[in-house]
Each structure stands twice: as structure tokens, then as C-alpha cells.
Amino acid sequence: MSGNPRKRNGHRRRLEQQRWRHMQADCYICFRPIDYTLRSPNPYSFVIDETIPLARGGTLTHDNSGPAHRWCNAIKGTHSLAWARDRVAWLIAHGQAPQHDTTPSASTPIRCSNWFGGGE
């Protein structure tokens, strides 16, 4: 059977995603917190990364996976974890990491519109 191994292991991948999401672990590449509420395609959204990539013979197991930001995972690609950690740290230190979204946080008051006469 040919094709993308991630599609063949959908159930196992979902279980690993749930397990890491429940643990609320930091990114294992850059060691920074992950906002598990962010969704794709946000570069800081949560993805599962295989330490030894499936393309290089790795398996989709808990021991061979870790939580990562989408951006960190894209930098890693099929490289080693050590290489990815060095590269991501260099990119962050040189201001080449994507900027975090500046949408209002929960602590920012939400202003209603004038539609119902309640706005300013």
C-alpha cells in the first residue's frame, strides 16, 4: 500500500494528539509553551512531530513523537532533532521567527457595535 503513512495511521495519530494535548507540554524543539487553542495554519499551533521521521523509518509511537509548534516542525522537516533545535534557536535569536498573532486576548475588553445602540 503506497501513500502518505500519516493517513494510514490516522487513529493512532489522533490518540497521540489527544495524549500530548492533555499533557499541555511545551514544544520539544524550541522549549517554549504551546497555545493548544490555536488552529492551523497558525505557525504556533500544535502538531505532533516524529523524532525519527516516518520518511526515515521512524514509527508513530509516543516514544518517537513530541509536541511542536507548526513552524518548528516545518523547520525540522526530516532533519535530526538536535539540528532542528540549533536551527530554530538561531532563527529566534536573529528575529526570523514568525510573529505571534496580535488578536485581542481574553483580558482585552470587547467593544460592541452601535448596531443595537450599545456601542460608543
Side-chain angles (χ1 to χ4, degrees):
M1 177 182 208
S2 65
N4 188 338
R6 288 174 183 83
K7 302 295 182 192
R8 287 186 301 216
N9 295 319
H11 178 69
R12 187 178 304 163
R13 181 167 295 278
R14 284 188 297 277
L15 289 176
E16 280 303 311
Q17 286 172 335
Q18 288 175 355
R19 188 174 183 182
W20 285 115
R21 190 178 305 276
H22 177 73
M23 293 169 64
Q24 297 286 300
D26 293 341
C27 176
Y28 89 140
I29 297 173
C30 72
F31 304 108
R32 293 174 183 223
I34 298 173
D35 182 348
Y36 285 87
T37 64
L38 297 176
R39 297 289 175 233
S40 177
N42 187 300
Y44 291 103
S45 61
F46 160 68
V47 295
I48 294 278
D49 177 64
E50 293 85 24
T51 306
I52 300 171
L54 298 177
R56 301 233 187 260
T59 58
L60 185 55
T61 60
H62 190 71
D63 293 340
N64 189 47
S65 67
H69 295 112
R70 180 169 297 283
W71 177 73
C72 296
N73 187 38
I75 298 298
K76 181 178 176 282
T78 57
H79 295 285
S80 72
L81 183 57
W83 181 91
R85 286 176 174 165
D86 289 343
R87 181 69 180 155
V88 167
W90 187 90
L91 291 169
I92 290 170
H94 289 84
Q96 296 183 21
Q99 296 297 314
H100 281 280
D101 191 6
T102 58
T103 56
S105 66
S107 62
T108 304
I110 299 173
R111 299 170 66 184
C112 61
S113 70
N114 288 330
W115 184 263
F116 295 107
E120 293 179 43

